[in-house]
């Protein structure tokens, strides 16, 4: 199992996004501040305002959604998946990129956290 924590502004909205758009299942809910969703061996911990995972760091820096670190979901047909998600109005950071290992694109969750969709070469 691998777990990733994403900071989110609205846990309900994030649970809806991950379960309805990306095929995750809801594993646990702890009020409005926290939820855990999973897909295969990946556990995604969604920490909203008021959760312990979203508290300021000891030096006072705020922890916020976004950034460039991301997890990767492998897909069989990248073009079809991207077309369906764009039709649903979801946001992408870039267009499909091609590299030696395959093709990828970065999708954003409702809080700007990146998810990479990847199709192997």
């Amino acid at each position: 199992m691998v777990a990733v924590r994403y900071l989110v502004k609205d846990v309900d909205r994030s649970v809806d996004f991950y379960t309805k758009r990306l095929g995750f299942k809801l594993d646990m809910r702890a009020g409005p501040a926290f939820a855990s969703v999973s897909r295969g061996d990946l556990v995604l911990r969604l920490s909203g305002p008021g959760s312990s995972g979203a508290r300021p760091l000891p030096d006072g820096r705020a922890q916020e959604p976004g950034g460039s670190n991301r997890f990767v979901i492998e897909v069989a047909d990248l073009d079809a998946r991207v077309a369906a998600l764009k039709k649903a109005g979801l946001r992408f950071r870039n267009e499909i990129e091609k590299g030696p290992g395959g093709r990828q694109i970065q999708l954003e969750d409702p809080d700007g956290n990146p998810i990479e969709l990847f199709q192997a070469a």
Side-chain angles (χ1 to χ4, degrees):
M1 176 194 77
V2 173
V4 174
R5 182 180 309 276
Y6 264 178
L7 301 178
V8 300
K9 295 176 183 173
D10 183 324
V11 172
D12 288 331
R13 180 181 67 181
S14 293
V15 166
D16 186 64
F17 173 83
Y18 283 100
T19 59
K20 292 182 179 172
R21 301 294 183 188
L22 296 177
F24 282 72
K25 71 179 181 96
L26 178 62
D27 296 320
M28 194 265 270
R29 190 62 202 258
F34 179 83
S36 181
V37 296
S38 65
R39 180 180 167 163
D41 290 336
L42 172 62
V43 174
L44 187 55
R45 297 189 174 135
L46 304 170
S47 295
S51 70
S52 59
R55 291 181 186 146
L57 298 170
D59 66 3
R61 285 181 292 158
Q63 299 188 71
E64 298 181 22
S68 294
N69 294 323
R70 58 196 177 267
F71 63 90
V72 178
I73 296 175
E74 289 196 29
V75 298
D77 185 343
L78 185 62
D79 295 312
R81 190 63 180 261
V82 168
L85 294 171
K86 283 185 176 182
K87 185 176 180 183
L90 302 184
R91 292 183 315 236
F92 288 84
R93 289 184 167 191
N94 60 342
E95 294 300 321
I96 294 174
E97 299 284 344
K98 184 176 181 182
R103 299 167 58 231
Q104 66 272 340
I105 191 168
Q106 292 182 43
L107 168 70
E108 288 188 344
D109 79 1
D111 294 295
N113 293 308
I115 301 117
E116 181 178 310
L117 302 178
F118 175 81
Q119 182 178 350

